Amino acid sequence: MLEEFGEGGRADGQGPAGGEPPKRRHRGRRIAIVGFALVVLLVVGVVAGYGAFLNHTVNKNVQREALLPTPSPGESVPTRAAEAGKSQNILLIGSDERPGQSRQRSDVIILVHLTSDRRKVYLVHFPRDLYVDIPGHGKNKINASYAFGGAPLLVKTVQGLVDVPIDHVAHIGFEGFKRMTDAVGGVNVYAEEPSHGPAGDIHKGMNHLNGAQALAFVRERHQLSEGDISRGRRQQAFLKALLLEALSKSTLTNPVKFAHFVDAATKNLTVDNSFSTGDLRSEALSLRHVRGNDVVFITAPFTGFGTSPDGQSIDIVDKIGMNDLGFALRTDDFSTYPVGDQVP
């Protein structure tokens, strides 16, 4: 029997039962804050200005695989609505795979929605403990779909939740976060709460992190007040910090430093077979007018925490809220969707 025991994080920014909603933070400097997948897009877009060498690096490093699902005969799949226009939905998958291990569950699941006019970017974080229907496997945590069937099954699962087709997929291993952080000389990340670990202590407020510390920062969940929900906000804060540093003057005007970052970013990137380098560059250029306050972070809606029939701690899907999210994605219109507070 499913047991619910309290209110969870909502897209409208509500915290646990009895708690106060987190205070609204400042939106950050006027620079493109578009999540890791778009870090790579922007990097590819800038590469042309640094010559053929870096262009060759991108083409050599970026891997392509069959990350999108192939529908079975007679299988029902989401269709693209006319209102969607030229909007794009890109699923970013981050996994904490280590050498010698089999495929693990996905630790970062973010749906990147680029609006048709490319003036807004919405980053929808799906907590990995969301208890959902996984095609062919019954109900389980959403991140289990990656372990069961890789990116294609995760795509099917997310599409089933929001009833919106996913256009592209990008996958990054957590080691890539570490290498990119070191390539830019570390990043300044805001932590909403402290934690402790072998890589060093994190205090509430701004922290300067090297690669090893950044990796520990995005992995931590057990010491945080809301577990995976809090970790999701840490991951968003890290992605923002990485983009700020990657697109800073000190990085972009230093050819050696920038080359190291491009190499680190693309060496750990795998995209679906249809996502060509030309497409990456085109998307990057289309986002040139996006600024920090044009990028919105959303947590996929859930009603609270609970326990599954087999004893797992889970996040219970807010079905009404998920339908509202799907409608906003499908129609490319978030004007009435409650986006909640933004990461610092």
Side-chain angles (χ1 to χ4, degrees):
M1 177 177 181
L2 191 96
E3 299 177 1
E4 185 173 346
F5 58 87
E7 290 297 311
R10 291 285 306 275
D12 56 10
Q14 294 299 316
E20 292 295 326
K23 295 180 180 178
R24 182 172 297 279
R25 309 288 187 179
H26 63 276
R27 291 179 178 274
R29 287 150 42 185
R30 290 179 58 79
I31 194 168
I33 311 298
V34 291
F36 172 74
L38 300 181
V39 173
V40 177
L41 297 185
L42 290 169
V43 165
V44 174
V46 175
V47 159
Y50 280 75
F53 171 74
L54 290 183
N55 221 17
H56 171 73
T57 298
V58 173
N59 288 324
K60 178 186 69 173
N61 286 350
V62 175
Q63 301 297 309
R64 289 180 172 81
E65 294 181 5
L67 302 182
L68 288 167
T70 301
S72 304
E75 180 181 356
S76 177
V77 297
T79 56
R80 188 176 187 84
E83 299 93 327
K86 296 181 180 180
S87 64
Q88 289 277 288
N89 295 304
I90 303 170
L91 187 65
L92 166 64
I93 304 170
S95 59
D96 202 3
E97 297 174 1
R98 279 111 180 213
Q101 290 184 334
S102 59
R103 181 167 53 220
Q104 303 296 299
R105 299 189 177 203
S106 50
D107 290 281
V108 177
I109 306 171
I110 296 177
L111 183 59
V112 182
H113 178 81
L114 311 180
T115 59
S116 186
D117 60 9
R118 297 304 191 267
R119 296 288 181 172
K120 284 279 188 180
V121 178
Y122 294 89
L123 299 173
V124 184
H125 168 240
F126 289 84
R128 71 178 198 169
D129 291 344
L130 276 179
Y131 197 60
V132 302
D133 290 310
I134 299 176
H137 296 272
K139 293 188 74 70
N140 208 320
K141 294 182 180 182
I142 190 172
N143 67 337
S145 60
Y146 182 74
F148 292 153
L153 185 57
L154 179 54
V155 169
K156 282 188 177 184
T157 302
V158 173
Q159 288 183 155
L161 273 176
V162 294
D163 193 27
V164 174
I166 290 175
D167 300 294
H168 292 294
V169 180
H171 175 270
I172 180 71
F174 271 24
E175 282 294 323
F177 294 157
K178 176 181 178 181
R179 293 170 184 169
M180 285 185 290
T181 302
D182 285 334
V184 294
V187 295
N188 295 316
V189 182
Y190 185 89
E192 295 180 328
E193 52 189 306
S195 62
H196 310 281
D201 292 341
I202 301 296
H203 61 265
K204 182 177 179 179
M206 196 62 70
N207 296 260
H208 184 78
L209 307 180
N210 61 27
Q213 293 168 329
L215 191 58
F217 183 80
V218 298
R219 279 175 170 167
E220 182 57 53
R221 68 183 301 215
H222 297 294
Q223 297 182 50
L224 306 181
S225 60
E226 291 187 277
D228 188 50
I229 306 304
S230 298
R231 182 170 73 160
R233 289 182 63 83
R234 273 196 169 193
Q235 291 168 351
Q236 291 171 339
F238 166 74
L239 294 173
K240 176 176 180 176
L242 180 61
L243 251 175
L244 286 171
E245 188 58 43
L247 299 178
S248 67
K249 183 178 180 180
S250 64
T251 299
L252 294 179
T253 60
N254 185 329
V256 174
K257 183 177 181 180
F258 186 75
H260 286 163
F261 177 76
V262 171
D263 185 57
T266 57
K267 185 174 290 183
N268 296 279
L269 177 68
T270 301
V271 299
D272 63 89
N273 288 327
S274 65
F275 214 172
S276 68
T277 299
D279 292 334
L280 289 167
R281 184 182 297 109
S282 177
E283 288 293 0
L285 293 175
S286 74
L287 295 169
R288 61 187 178 276
H289 299 299
V290 170
R291 299 294 183 261
N293 58 353
D294 298 324
V295 180
V296 181
F297 292 96
I298 297 172
T299 296
F302 65 99
T303 60
F305 306 112
T307 303
S308 67
D310 61 352
Q312 299 183 77
S313 296
I314 59 173
D315 303 333
I316 302 170
V317 173
D318 178 352
K319 294 182 180 180
I320 295 176
M322 199 67 75
N323 287 337
D324 291 342
L325 174 60
F327 182 81
L329 290 165
R330 191 160 48 252
T331 60
D332 193 31
D333 183 2
F334 283 80
S335 60
T336 61
Y337 188 83
V339 298
D341 296 332
Q342 298 305 295
V343 296

